[in-house]
Amino acid sequence: MAQSDLLVSSWCKNVKSLPADYIMPPEKRTTDFSVSKDIPVLDLGQEAGRGRSALIQQIIKAGEEFGAFQVINHGVSDDLMHEAMRVYEEFFSLPVDDHESLLSDDFYKSVRLYTSGYNYANEDHHLWKDTLKHPACAHPQDEVVQGWPDKPERYREIITKYSVEVRKMSVRILDLICEGLGLEEGFFRGELSQGIGMVINNYPPCPEPSLAMGIHAHCDPYTLTVIQQQVYGLQIKKSGKWIGVDPLPNAFVIMIPYQLQIISNGKLSSCEHRGVTNTSEARISVVTFCGPSKESVIGPAKEHVSASNPPQFKTYKYLDFQMNYLYHLSKKNLCNETALGPYLL
């Protein structure tokens, strides 16, 4: 079978029932959840005004209670968000021949189109999704663009603008988190947000969503995760229960990844999340992230360590954390215990 034929979007349109290798074991299926409007929606327009202090407190509280929040008035234009989503809709609708050069089963390839999880050939059960991943832009002249897809024609132009603007917003949010945690000004600038990338997931309509899974439960290994979604499908775990994130027009979902949990010495909670499917509508999620450079040394910030609040985590090189994370991800054995276990004190 050609690699392009493995893409769910290349063969699923007329499928009436779920293929056997896409049926998840009962314990992996999505049950017992509700869509919640309690997940905080924060107005970044308050950043420069009298509401700045209250906004920072809201961010920290959301990071403690949910590990996630949505932002509005964030500075990324509605038109640019819509254009980026249209580009990705066009990308995943291209003929399979146009995808051939991007398809790869190389787990570590920087620009890669693949289906299901990270290792299709070794999976017992496949995820109902196709994924494109590549580095993001830090500035408009960034050379990483040369490795991006060149179809549709507007891809590089639109996604350059989009990733630069989302990057600017991410740095602003990290600065607010920095202030809220009482860290040294600019703590998250530089090497702690140097690694930037994009992961775009396409979940076609699924004939039997109750038996399938879009993406398994996991937390992210980065410093900050930003998600654009237009269709419901994102769920987060709070107090042992799964709740759905209601998509808001022109909002971004912001998630707390592992590195913020560790740097804050457990004050902030990394967000465990997963993706589900539906029968009627394709769902695309555009994920942009900031992560540390590979050589960054990370541990609880000194401001959050004291005699009464001893460190919960070891100090480590981010490359070691990343390799441990990717190893367990490739083995389908990723959970908080396996990701954080080696770094707990």
Side-chain angles (χ1 to χ4, degrees):
M1 182 181 292
Q3 283 199 47
S4 56
D5 292 335
L6 294 177
L7 293 175
V8 175
S9 55
S10 72
W11 55 261
C12 71
K13 289 182 181 178
N14 298 315
V15 172
K16 302 301 182 185
S17 61
L18 209 61
D21 52 352
Y22 283 84
I23 297 175
M24 288 289 160
E27 67 274 12
K28 296 287 188 180
R29 298 174 193 169
T30 54
T31 58
D32 189 27
F33 66 88
S34 60
V35 177
S36 173
K37 296 188 181 296
D38 294 334
I39 297 168
V41 179
L42 307 184
D43 184 354
L44 283 190
Q46 301 296 315
E47 175 189 8
R50 293 181 179 180
R52 180 181 178 88
S53 178
L55 172 63
I56 291 172
Q57 291 176 25
Q58 291 166 357
I59 289 174
I60 298 302
K61 184 178 180 182
E64 292 173 334
E65 295 184 1
F66 290 87
F69 50 93
Q70 297 198 68
V71 292
I72 58 174
N73 297 324
H74 39 64
V76 183
S77 76
D78 296 352
D79 287 346
L80 184 56
M81 293 180 73
H82 296 163
E83 284 185 298
M85 189 61 74
R86 280 197 295 270
V87 163
Y88 284 119
E89 289 170 352
E90 291 175 28
F91 173 83
F92 285 108
S93 298
L94 288 169
V96 292
D97 289 349
D98 289 331
H99 288 147
E100 201 74 46
S101 64
L102 296 168
L103 286 160
S104 175
D105 58 5
D106 182 353
F107 189 75
Y108 298 101
K109 190 174 181 182
S110 63
V111 180
R112 179 185 175 210
L113 176 64
Y114 59 95
T115 195
S116 188
Y118 282 84
N119 197 339
Y120 182 93
N122 293 331
E123 293 173 352
D124 297 323
H125 306 91
H126 303 310
L127 299 171
W128 192 263
K129 74 173 178 71
D130 300 322
T131 298
L132 172 68
K133 80 172 183 87
H134 60 63
C137 281
H139 49 80
Q141 288 77 41
D142 204 318
E143 293 181 0
V144 301
V145 174
Q146 300 309 313
W148 288 3
D150 55 9
K151 294 180 181 179
E153 186 177 344
R154 302 177 303 139
Y155 188 102
R156 295 182 180 182
E157 175 191 355
I158 298 299
I159 303 308
T160 293
K161 294 177 183 177
Y162 177 84
S163 63
V164 168
E165 291 305 308
V166 173
R167 161 75 172 166
K168 290 178 184 177
M169 178 192 68
S170 300
V171 171
R172 288 166 50 210
I173 292 172
L174 284 170
D175 283 346
L176 293 169
I177 292 173
C178 172
E179 190 172 336
L181 292 175
L183 304 177
E184 181 181 353
E185 185 177 353
F187 183 91
F188 292 110
R189 291 177 178 257
E191 65 175 15
L192 288 181
S193 57
Q194 207 170 72
I196 54 175
M198 301 184 73
V199 176
I200 305 91
N201 296 310
N202 178 43
Y203 307 90
C206 178
E208 296 177 285
S210 64
L211 302 179
M213 178 60 74
I215 190 167
H216 291 307
H218 66 287
C219 298
D220 291 337
Y222 317 119
T223 310
L224 197 72
T225 299
V226 177
I227 300 176
Q228 180 184 346
Q229 60 168 356
Q230 292 180 327
V231 176
Y232 169 71
L234 176 63
Q235 298 177 351
I236 69 173
K237 200 171 192 178
K238 182 179 186 294
S239 303
K241 294 184 178 180
W242 287 102
I243 55 177
V245 180
D246 189 23
L248 297 179
N250 308 316
F252 287 103
V253 180
I254 309 298
M255 288 190 175
I256 304 296
Y258 281 130
Q259 304 313 310
L260 282 184
Q261 180 176 348
I262 291 165
I263 289 168
S264 68
N265 202 27
K267 181 175 177 64
L268 302 182
S269 300
S270 55
C271 181
E272 187 174 359
H273 56 286
R274 67 185 184 184
V276 301
T277 61
N278 70 79
T279 58
S280 60
E281 194 171 7
R283 174 177 179 259
I284 291 175
S285 65
V286 183
V287 184
T288 310
F289 60 84
C290 298
S293 65
K294 292 180 179 179
E295 299 303 313
S296 296
V297 176
I298 296 174
K302 64 181 187 299
E303 292 87 347
H304 286 268
V305 175
S306 64
S308 60
N309 187 37
Q312 298 180 27
F313 305 96
K314 301 174 185 176
T315 296
Y316 55 87
K317 186 181 290 187
Y318 180 65
L319 177 60
D320 295 335
F321 185 98
Q322 188 180 44
M323 295 305 292
N324 177 69
Y325 180 94
L326 292 175
Y327 171 78
H328 287 289
L329 188 63
S330 69
K331 298 295 183 182
K332 308 182 291 293
N333 185 33
L334 186 66
C335 60
N336 280 353
E337 289 75 15
T338 55
L340 292 180
Y343 308 98
L344 291 171
L345 288 172

